[in-house]
Amino acid sequence: MSDTLASLLPAAPPPSLTPETLAGAAARLAMWKLDALAVLEGNEVRGVVTVQAPSQIQAVAALNSSATLSEARAALKTSPALAVFHGGAFAALLTAADLAPPAAPELAGQVWYALSEPDRTLLSRLAAQTPGTLALVGGGVRDALLGLPPLDLDIVLVGADVEALAVASGLPFVFHPAYRNATLSLPDGRAADVVSARMERYPFPGASPAAHPGTLAQDLRRRDFALNALALVVGESGPTLHDPHGGLPDLLAHTLRPLSADSLTDDASRLIRGARLSARLDLRASPELTAQVPQALAVAAQTPRLDAELRLLLSEPFPGKVARLLETWGAAELLPAASLPVLDALDALPERPGEQVYAAALLSGSPEPGRLADRLALGPRPAALLSRALGREYVAPGSVEAVLRGVLKPDAYTPLTGRDALKLGATPGPGIGMALAHLAGLRRTGQVSSREGEEAALRAYLAAIP
């Protein structure tokens, strides 16, 4: 990042107002989650309106994009925002979040050197190949600060074209024109997502957001939780850590705080994502989070991404822990209540079962498991596994059916096998098959309910054979 305002400029000027549209200022500020909006008359900036005074036009300081960051911070001390001009045209309205100096310089190196050498090389090369500002954001920064291996490469590009950078990288990539983002395929099989810095608004709860080019601070503000809104800017003079929304204190306190008052209403799937993060990283829900739960539940049914988050819950290290967190937060209704003890029991096993077993356990608590499986796009295997586990037929010890049966039916027993029937006197060959079929019929009709009962029934069956 250079030392001039040019490095902060978004790819296009921000939303603004005119004197005639001033009445809609409060709604527009809330819609885009902005602290201030410029009021334009032609190319002239008449002033700004703020969240604190949405109906009052206030004077605003103005600088050219060639001004230094120090000059801009000085100007901002006496102005609610800073209008920036580039090439003679209005280009940006910057606030304190945009101009905040780097945070905790000693931690920037910690994040940087927690990355693998190939990842550091890639980020440095990409930063050198673009005229814009490039930053690593999200989970990679968060995990590095927590002392965990940072595997996710989520990259934000400010003021430059993502497709051009993807081409320049020389890596295979897929370009997503709707948001002008790209997914790069890395040599080790991972992917790096490069996104255009943007702000977002939600036409209605659960909808796909509409986007507009934004600054780095605005891009971070559109995210879910404050501890995910940290950025490591990669520049010629070394990496710098940026925390415009107070994520570092939350991270140190292991607290999960939504970034806005309607974060979970905009996208109710963030509620499940938050529980997944909290369970995995031992985070505490902030009062701001739990206060939003009722509104999130009210719009959950119209949030398509929620079902995808429920599927991801099943791949967490301890899905039962995630489910219990949701219950603690007052969001137990997102999962079948009867499935929670089953998920707990699977969590407590010495060896974690596979995702299909957890999926079948989730279905076990639903009165309509087939419908839930279809809604979550689980495929037919979990329902079939559940059916076998609940059945009375023999399942091999240690099999996934046996693991799930042991949790769902702890009093279940292992039925007699062909070897057992042979020991009790069944005739080898077809005789064993007929004996086992007889026992299976008795199990289906509930006439035997223990291994001892099967042995007695088999002896009686064999004794009756002429």
Side-chain angles (χ1 to χ4, degrees):
M1 179 182 289
S2 72
D3 192 41
T4 68
L5 292 178
S7 65
L8 303 181
L9 300 184
S16 60
L17 298 167
T18 65
E20 293 75 23
T21 60
L22 193 60
R28 199 156 199 197
L29 285 163
M31 178 191 303
W32 290 106
K33 295 180 175 60
L34 294 173
D35 295 322
L37 276 170
V39 181
L40 301 183
E41 197 161 27
N43 194 43
E44 180 185 353
V45 178
R46 291 280 306 276
V48 296
V49 294
T50 65
V51 170
Q52 293 76 18
S55 60
Q56 177 186 352
I57 300 178
Q58 302 176 57
V60 63
L63 287 175
N64 191 275
S65 62
S66 59
T68 67
L69 299 181
S70 296
E71 291 170 334
R73 288 170 186 141
L76 200 59
K77 291 179 180 179
T78 57
S79 179
L82 181 67
V84 182
F85 287 79
H86 183 74
F90 173 66
L93 187 70
L94 303 181
T95 64
D98 297 303
L99 290 164
E106 72 281 2
L107 295 180
Q110 175 182 327
V111 176
W112 183 247
Y113 289 105
L115 298 168
S116 68
E117 184 175 351
D119 287 353
R120 295 198 303 270
T121 300
L122 172 67
L123 290 170
S124 297
R125 182 162 58 85
L126 291 176
Q129 289 173 322
T130 179
T133 296
L134 185 137
L136 177 71
V137 302
V141 180
R142 177 201 68 219
D143 289 349
L145 290 169
L146 289 173
L148 303 171
L151 301 178
D152 295 336
L153 285 186
D154 293 322
I155 301 165
V156 168
L157 184 63
V158 184
D161 185 70
V162 165
E163 187 176 20
L165 179 60
V167 172
S169 75
L171 295 168
F173 70 91
V174 176
F175 183 64
H176 313 286
Y179 290 101
R180 299 202 62 76
N181 300 336
T183 301
L184 309 181
S185 298
L186 305 182
D188 63 3
R190 290 181 302 144
D193 290 321
V194 186
V195 307
S196 302
R198 64 182 185 264
M199 60 181 79
E200 292 179 338
R201 64 176 179 85
Y202 287 80
F204 55 87
S208 295
H212 188 91
T215 65
L216 178 59
Q218 288 165 348
D219 188 274
L220 295 173
R221 188 167 184 175
R222 72 178 174 85
R223 295 169 186 273
D224 46 14
F225 304 103
L227 52 70
N228 285 337
L230 298 161
L232 187 76
V233 174
V234 183
E236 294 180 3
S237 57
T240 54
L241 185 63
H242 291 257
D243 178 26
H245 306 299
L248 270 177
D250 285 0
L251 198 63
L252 294 174
H254 279 244
T255 298
L256 194 68
R257 174 174 57 88
L259 270 173
S260 70
D262 51 5
S263 180
L264 303 188
T265 308
D266 285 340
D267 184 354
S269 71
R270 289 171 172 169
L271 184 56
I272 301 171
R273 193 179 316 146
R276 290 172 50 223
L277 270 180
S278 293
R280 196 185 324 140
L281 303 177
D282 289 324
L283 304 176
R284 175 182 61 85
S286 69
E288 294 92 334
L289 188 154
T290 52
Q292 292 187 37
V293 169
Q295 299 96 305
L297 294 177
V299 298
Q302 62 194 73
T303 306
R305 291 176 295 278
L306 189 134
D307 290 342
E309 283 294 331
L310 284 174
R311 285 197 304 275
L312 289 172
L313 180 156
L314 300 172
S315 63
E316 287 294 321
F318 297 101
K321 185 178 180 181
V322 180
R324 288 300 183 184
L325 273 176
L326 288 169
E327 181 185 47
T328 301
W329 296 353
E333 67 185 65
L334 294 175
L335 299 167
S339 68
L340 268 62
V342 185
L343 296 173
D344 288 338
L346 293 178
D347 278 0
L349 293 176
E351 185 174 339
R352 185 195 188 281
E355 189 172 327
Q356 295 292 332
V357 177
Y358 273 107
L362 183 66
L363 297 181
S364 72
S366 173
E368 298 180 290
R371 179 173 293 184
L372 180 60
D374 290 342
R375 200 192 93 201
L376 300 185
L378 296 177
R381 293 177 61 188
L385 170 58
L386 176 62
S387 177
R388 294 194 299 272
L390 291 174
R392 296 175 178 271
E393 300 305 314
Y394 171 80
V395 293
S399 65
V400 290
E401 292 86 355
V403 169
L404 187 57
R405 180 178 289 179
V407 169
L408 293 172
K409 302 168 66 177
D411 296 330
Y413 65 93
T414 302
L416 299 186
T417 65
R419 183 175 297 178
D420 296 323
L422 188 62
K423 287 180 180 179
L424 290 172
T427 304
I432 292 177
M434 294 173 64
L436 294 180
H438 174 71
L439 289 177
L442 296 178
R443 284 195 296 272
R444 280 194 297 272
T445 56
Q447 297 180 63
V448 292
S449 57
S450 68
R451 190 175 176 87
E452 293 75 15
E454 287 201 10
E455 289 179 356
L458 182 58
R459 287 192 179 97
Y461 167 77
L462 295 174
I465 296 177

